[in-house]
Amino acid sequence: MSENTGSIKPAITAKNVHLSYRSIVPVAKNKEESNASVTRKGRVEHFEALHGVSFEIKRGEIVGLVGRNGSGKSTLLRVLAGIFEPDSGTVDLHGSSVSLLALGVGFLKQLSGRENIYLSAMLMGFSKEQIDQQIDEIIEFSELGRFIEKPVKTYSSGMVSKLGFSITAILKTDIILVDEVLSVGDAKFKKKSYRKMMELISDKNRTVIIVSHDTRTIDNLCTSAIWLHDGDIMMDGPTEKVLPAYNRFMEL
């Protein structure tokens, strides 16, 4: 991705990554046929979200991922996080730990906030002992108070955002993937979370990929950028080269 990286080791290497979604489309014989036939009849349709995506990101890079809605950005982050398995191709994180910060991802709603902290952190590769050492700090940062013992299904979207951000912010991983969430919650928490994110990405050994439709954010924070369009990489390289080309395209 970035130029003049010298001997800096790669953090992420993606080679020819393909991923398709499958859905059942009902086939109705006539107008009177019930919608219940969806579960019994239909044809399988495939939508290829990623078409052989390849790139390499060096350790310590802050990379912006841009593209219009439906271009494959969130899908790619979920592949990198290990949530989705590609149909073909490979993703090598070179032994790095990874976390995904995205709204509505990774929580079991019937479990309490505390239980979801343990579940999410263990999926990120942390041991129970490591979580025990930092759970009080996570809870304090989240500002959820007594709600930490309540099921996540009772949370507002802002509370869910606070919990997700707090886990990622306190349990620091080598790679952080941020999907449209740079500041969450109320005004006070937004300021706190933004400061924390700046602290996280200032670590020269931490690699960050940020998805955002706000190109000003990408321009301000990212050293490099990847432009995805309909599952293909249109361009990658220094932010100052990629963003102007992307902005011109979006103005057409």
Side-chain angles (χ1 to χ4, degrees), residues 15-19 48 50-54 231-232:
K15 293 183 178 179
N16 200 29
V17 174
H18 290 260
L19 187 137
E48 191 170 8
L50 298 175
H51 309 147
V53 172
S54 298
D232 293 300

Side-chain angles (χ1 to χ4, degrees), residues 9 13 17-18 26 31 38 46 68 96 121 123-124 133 140 144 148 158 160 165 167 186 207 214 216:
K9 295 180 179 179
T13 304
V17 174
H18 290 260
K31 293 182 179 179
V38 172
H46 297 263
R68 65 186 184 186
S96 300
L123 291 174
M124 288 159 58
Q133 292 172 5
E140 181 180 0
L144 290 176
I148 200 67
V160 172
F165 186 90
I167 294 170
D186 52 41
T207 307
D214 184 355
R216 292 172 299 178

Side-chain angles (χ1 to χ4, degrees), residues 60-116:
E61 277 198 274
I62 305 172
V63 180
L65 188 56
V66 298
R68 65 186 184 186
N69 289 335
S71 61
K73 303 184 301 298
S74 294
T75 296
L76 179 56
L77 287 196
R78 283 153 178 76
V79 170
L80 298 179
I83 296 172
F84 294 164
E85 183 176 354
D87 300 324
S88 61
T90 61
V91 172
D92 187 354
L93 301 182
H94 302 278
S96 300
S97 57
V98 61
S99 59
L100 171 63
L101 181 55
L103 295 178
V105 174
F107 293 144
L108 292 180
K109 294 186 177 182
Q110 69 272 25
L111 299 182
S112 69
R114 182 184 296 273
E115 291 168 325
N116 269 294

Side-chain angles (χ1 to χ4, degrees), residues 124-185:
M124 288 159 58
F126 291 92
S127 67
K128 183 178 182 301
E129 290 72 23
Q130 290 173 314
I131 305 166
D132 286 342
Q133 292 172 5
Q134 294 184 278
I135 191 167
D136 289 343
E137 187 177 358
I138 294 170
I139 294 171
E140 181 180 0
F141 192 94
S142 74
E143 301 179 354
L144 290 176
R146 60 185 177 84
F147 284 99
I148 200 67
E149 311 299 345
K150 302 290 186 181
V152 167
K153 65 183 179 182
T154 65
Y155 288 14
S156 67
S157 60
M159 293 166 69
V160 172
S161 301
K162 285 183 174 183
L163 182 60
F165 186 90
S166 300
I167 294 170
T168 299
I170 304 304
L171 294 174
K172 302 177 181 68
T173 55
D174 302 317
I175 300 170
I176 298 178
L177 311 174
V178 184
D179 192 356
E180 293 287 0
V181 184
L182 280 177
S183 57
V184 295

